[in-house]
Amino acid sequence: MSAAANLPGWGSHSRGHVADNVLYFVRVLRAAGLPLGPAKVIDALAAVEAVGVDNRTDFREALAAVLVSRREHLPIFEQAFDLFWRNPRLLEKMLAALLPKIHGRAADVDENLPARLAQAMLPQPPPSGRGEEQESELDAAFSFSAREVLQRKDFATMTAEELTEVKALLRKMKLPLPSRPVRRTTAAARGRAIDLRATLRGSVGAGGALTPLRYRARRRRPPPLCVLCDVSGSMDRYARMLLHFLHAITSDRHRVHVLTFGTRLTNITRHLRHRDVDVALGRVAGAVEDWAGGTRIGRCLTEFNRHWSRRLLGQNAVVLLISDGLDADAGDGLAFEAERLAKSCARLVWLNPLLRYSGFEARPAGIRALLPHVDDFLPVHNLETLTDLAKALAEPHARGNAALAFAN
């Protein structure tokens, strides 16, 4: 039986039970994502020993001072503390919180409870001690095969357990872009431009003797990345998964801007910059009002070109357009706006989940209007395609060659 099953009342704590429950509470927080090691357990026990358990507020503040090191971790700690140390039937409440709303919920369970906290507080299946060595060996043999299958499996066909594992993998992915020269220069050993000021400064103490020339070369830095993600009904499953990937690349690098579109354009860059992925995606869900609705690609691109293009697409920016191209307006005005978008950026990459079908044909009007103006036309429906995207962006490209490559 776990320590959580023996939660004592506030007036009759035994010292052993308190220590067991503190230990289990730290494990719950660690499973929920807080960076807590064995030293934190010792510190938490010392803090509880110092303040005692008679005053609940002092007990809570002592644990928070020891276990919480970042501001974004405080809401998770508070919810876990309230559920763990006050609720007499913790596991039953947590199971009820995971059920659909139609079955009802407990009145004191927060509807905004992070999913990872709910999973962390559920009881884990006990490990089997019989045949442990053989089972671990079999698991190791089959783990690579399962991971390889998961890399190629479509997001739309995954089970709940597979989606959870893929989300964890998406959070670790990166999207490196090749560095490009910028206008600013820096000191260099060789170069075409002579640094006159540095050369004269070096010749001051030379007493008229010849001094070597100093040079400057142009700096190199990755270009800005702008992502336009379709969140209409036909893209719902893929958009939800790709947001985990977009959160990872937004946190990994600077100058990344993410906007969603369906029937309107929404800038979600500020929300994705939050370190906690659960909090970030929760804020995105609250900000995007047209999720799983219709699609007005032409109108949304018009708004982007008028109000956002000059702000975000400077310095050889790369644009990722994530959409299936199914436009409710039948491509009305889409060709003109796509051409304008392509001329405003250094590279326009279209990621379309419909390319997963081997017999895909560019028949819809929206696809035919977009295709001539994009530089790369790539699929995006599993982990393998995202890996191929990183490889494609690292290679040189020719402008507007996607239509020709797709025709061939």
Side-chain angles (χ1 to χ4, degrees), residues 230-246:
D230 188 348
V231 294
S232 61
S234 58
M235 287 287 297
D236 179 45
R237 189 66 175 269
Y238 297 99
R240 293 182 184 276
M241 295 300 299
L242 292 174
L243 279 178
H244 289 266
F245 171 67
L246 297 178

Side-chain angles (χ1 to χ4, degrees), residues 206-385:
L210 294 177
T211 57
L213 295 176
R214 307 293 176 87
Y215 298 93
R216 296 190 69 85
R218 297 175 66 180
R219 294 181 179 179
R220 300 182 66 90
R221 64 183 303 187
L225 178 66
C226 183
V227 183
L228 302 177
C229 184
D230 188 348
V231 294
S232 61
S234 58
M235 287 287 297
D236 179 45
R237 189 66 175 269
Y238 297 99
R240 293 182 184 276
M241 295 300 299
L242 292 174
L243 279 178
H244 289 266
F245 171 67
L246 297 178
H247 177 268
I249 63 177
T250 303
S251 304
D252 177 63
R253 50 179 293 133
H254 299 289
R255 301 197 299 173
V256 177
H257 307 277
V258 182
L259 296 90
T260 62
F261 67 91
T263 57
R264 66 186 69 182
L265 197 67
T266 307
N267 189 353
I268 61 172
T269 306
R270 178 169 55 90
H271 305 305
L272 289 180
R273 293 197 184 280
H274 197 283
R275 292 182 179 180
D276 193 302
V277 63
D278 293 331
V279 176
L281 297 187
R283 293 179 177 179
V284 169
V288 179
E289 299 180 359
D290 57 339
W291 193 285
T295 314
R296 299 289 188 270
I297 303 179
R299 297 182 185 179
C300 293
L301 288 187
T302 301
E303 182 181 355
F304 178 82
N305 289 330
R306 290 182 179 180
H307 303 290
W308 295 97
S309 177
R310 291 186 178 182
R311 307 184 199 179
L312 308 181
L313 300 187
Q315 300 181 354
N316 298 316
V318 176
V319 176
L320 299 183
L321 178 62
I322 306 175
S323 175
D324 53 10
L326 303 179
D327 189 12
D329 294 333
D332 184 24
L334 183 55
F336 175 79
E337 298 300 335
E339 181 181 7
R340 184 179 176 184
L341 175 62
K343 291 180 179 179
S344 302
C345 62
R347 188 171 185 176
L348 178 57
V349 182
W350 184 9
L351 305 178
N352 192 331
L354 294 180
L355 281 179
R356 68 187 185 274
Y357 299 117
S358 58
F360 173 79
E361 297 181 2
R363 291 184 178 180
I367 296 179
R368 287 187 281 107
L370 281 170
L371 194 55
H373 306 289
V374 299
D375 303 313
D376 300 277
F377 192 36
L378 304 174
V380 57
H381 58 280
N382 55 23
L383 291 174
E384 188 177 29
T385 55

Side-chain angles (χ1 to χ4, degrees), residues 130-140:
R130 190 175 183 180
E132 183 176 356
E133 296 182 358
Q134 183 178 2
E135 289 183 1
S136 62
E137 188 174 340
L138 288 175
D139 290 343

Side-chain angles (χ1 to χ4, degrees), residues 145-195:
S145 177
R147 180 66 58 84
E148 187 176 0
V149 172
L150 200 62
Q151 290 279 340
R152 298 193 176 107
K153 194 166 185 179
D154 196 320
F155 292 146
T157 62
M158 290 183 177
T159 63
E161 292 78 9
E162 291 173 338
L163 289 174
T164 302
E165 184 176 354
V166 169
K167 288 177 182 178
L169 296 175
L170 288 174
R171 296 170 191 171
K172 301 177 182 179
M173 296 188 69
K174 298 182 179 181
L175 191 63
L177 294 177
S179 300
R180 293 178 176 269
V182 298
R183 292 183 179 180
R184 294 184 179 273
T185 60
T186 184
R190 293 291 180 182
R192 295 183 179 181
I194 298 177
D195 190 345

Side-chain angles (χ1 to χ4, degrees), residues 46-61:
V48 173
E49 184 73 18
V51 302
V53 295
D54 295 332
N55 190 306
R56 183 175 180 273
T57 302
D58 294 342
F59 179 73
R60 173 181 175 179
E61 295 300 327

